[in-house]
Structure formats: C-alpha cells, structure tokens
Amino acid sequence: MFDEFKARLAIALKPAQEKIFGSNNERLEFVMDSFYKLDPTQRNGVLGVLGSLVGGFVFVAVAVYFMRVNALSSELNSTFNALNELRALKQQEAMTSAKFDSLVDKIQVKTRTLNFKPFFEKLARDAKISLKNINDKNVEMDAQNPLSESIREVHVDMRLSKVSIPKLINFIVDIEKSGRFLRVQNLQIVGMYGNKLYFDVNLLVRGYKIIK
C-alpha cells in the first residue's frame, strides 16, 4: 500500500515537477551548470545571496510564528477574562435575584391582610384625628421596573380636618413606621381662617399590593 501511495503521489506531482525543473530536470541542470561555470568569487556571492534569502525566510517565518503565538495568547487571556467576568455577573445576578425575591416575599407578608381604608381609619382614631374623604386607587408602575410584574402600586388620598401640627407629625410617623411599606408621597397643609393652631391637610400615601 505504501509503494502504491508513493507511485500515485509521484504521478500527481510529475506535472508540477516538470513545470518547475523542466522535462528530465533540464532547468535544474542548466542552473547547476551555470553555477559551476562561475568563478569562486561569484559562487560565493550567489551562495551568500541564497543564504541571506533562506535566513530571511526563516526569520520571517519565526517572527510570524511568534506573532501568531502572542495573538493566540492574547485571545486566550481575553477569553479567560470574559469567562471570569461572566461568572461574576452570574453571581451578581443570583444575589440580585435573591434580594428581589426576598423583597417581594416581605411585601407579600406585610400587605397580605392590609385593607387600606380600615387601616388608616384606625390610625386616625388612635391619634384622635378627624379623617374624611379617603380613597385608594391602583397606579401603573413603570414597565422598566422589575417589580411591576409582581407588585401593584396603590395611592391613598385622604383629608384630615382640623388637625394640629404635632398630631399630624405623629400620624405621619405612625404611617411610615407601621411596617406596611407605606410612604407619604405628597402633603398639603391648608390654614384655617381665624385659627392658627389647627389645619386642614390633604395627604397622599403610597403603598403596595401583591398581584395575585
């Protein structure tokens, strides 16, 4: 099989060999004859040129080899850096996802039994504040906010009648410290004619409910 392969290879290479060296190596023999006809100085010059060409080819080949090795090394380093960054991002994503799930769970626990109107009416009674015109409405959250898929924002409007500043402050503190994720979003204090101790107050409180 090896001999057959050599024979087929010789047949396949014969056309190229004839084009390069000529029929029966005529071109090669002509070059060799021309070389030997030169005087020793010319021969040395030809050998020097050939040596320089070979040396230059070897140098270029080695330089290209090391350039490719360095490029490959840089690509490998970039790949490893990208993998490390990807691992770090995955860890960060997992931590963020865990915090997000924990926040949703907390809101669900704190607001599961929350009914806004009775809740604020009780706070007002405990604070001895006259509460009027309380209404709550759902508000669309920003679609870019990941909480929008799990949580609904609720705005509670209410009017407090004839309330003093100390009672108002205590009422607001009770709202925000109730542990129900409630925050005062807007506050409007209206003075009463002829009365500098009591005020009418319009209050907007932001709350949340879990989407079932």
Side-chain angles (χ1 to χ4, degrees):
M1 290 179 63
F2 182 71
D3 292 339
E4 184 179 357
F5 174 76
K6 287 177 61 178
R8 291 185 179 182
L9 182 62
I11 294 173
L13 294 177
K14 188 174 181 180
Q17 184 178 358
E18 289 182 352
K19 286 183 179 181
I20 297 173
F21 299 110
S23 180
N24 296 323
N25 296 326
E26 292 175 354
R27 294 176 184 171
L28 179 61
E29 290 177 357
F30 173 76
V31 170
M32 296 301 296
D33 290 340
S34 299
F35 176 76
Y36 284 115
K37 288 179 181 179
L38 297 174
D39 57 56
T41 303
Q42 291 175 329
R43 290 181 190 175
N44 292 334
V46 171
L47 292 175
V49 171
L50 290 177
S52 299
L53 291 175
V54 172
F57 175 78
V58 172
F59 175 80
V60 171
V62 172
V64 171
Y65 170 77
F66 281 107
M67 288 175 61
R68 293 303 304 161
V69 169
N70 290 333
L72 180 60
S73 178
S74 298
E75 291 177 3
L76 288 175
N77 289 334
S78 299
T79 302
F80 284 127
N81 291 335
L83 287 174
N84 291 331
E85 184 177 355
L86 180 60
R87 292 192 186 99
L89 289 174
K90 285 185 175 180
Q91 292 177 355
Q92 183 178 358
E93 181 185 6
M95 293 174 61
T96 303
S97 179
K99 290 180 180 179
F100 176 82
D101 293 340
S102 176
L103 176 61
V104 172
D105 291 340
K106 287 180 180 179
I107 294 176
Q108 183 175 13
V109 170
K110 297 294 184 180
T111 63
R112 181 183 302 161
T113 59
L114 177 61
N115 194 335
F116 290 101
K117 187 174 181 180
F119 174 79
F120 285 105
E121 288 176 344
K122 183 179 184 306
L123 282 183
R125 284 196 305 270
D126 294 342
K128 294 180 174 55
I129 292 176
S130 177
L131 177 61
K132 298 180 179 179
N133 303 328
I134 180 169
N135 296 290
D136 62 84
K137 62 179 180 180
N138 296 329
V139 179
E140 291 293 332
M141 296 181 67
D142 186 0
Q144 300 296 325
N145 189 336
L147 290 172
S148 62
E149 298 181 0
S150 306
I151 296 173
R152 179 185 296 114
E153 186 173 325
V154 181
H155 285 181
V156 183
D157 289 300
M158 67 190 78
R159 182 178 177 82
L160 309 179
S161 179
K162 295 181 181 179
V163 60
S164 65
I165 294 299
K167 283 188 176 183
L168 175 61
I169 293 175
N170 290 334
F171 184 67
I172 292 174
V173 170
D174 290 341
I175 290 173
E176 298 205 347
K177 287 189 174 181
S178 64
R180 300 284 188 161
F181 289 95
L182 299 171
R183 290 293 180 269
V184 174
Q185 185 161 311
N186 193 21
L187 175 66
Q188 183 183 14
I189 300 176
V190 181
M192 299 177 65
Y193 181 75
N195 193 335
K196 297 182 179 181
L197 297 178
Y198 296 93
F199 304 87
D200 289 335
V201 178
N202 295 319
L203 196 63
L204 174 62
V205 179
R206 183 181 71 249
Y208 301 98
K209 292 287 286 186
I210 295 294
I211 298 176
K212 297 180 180 180

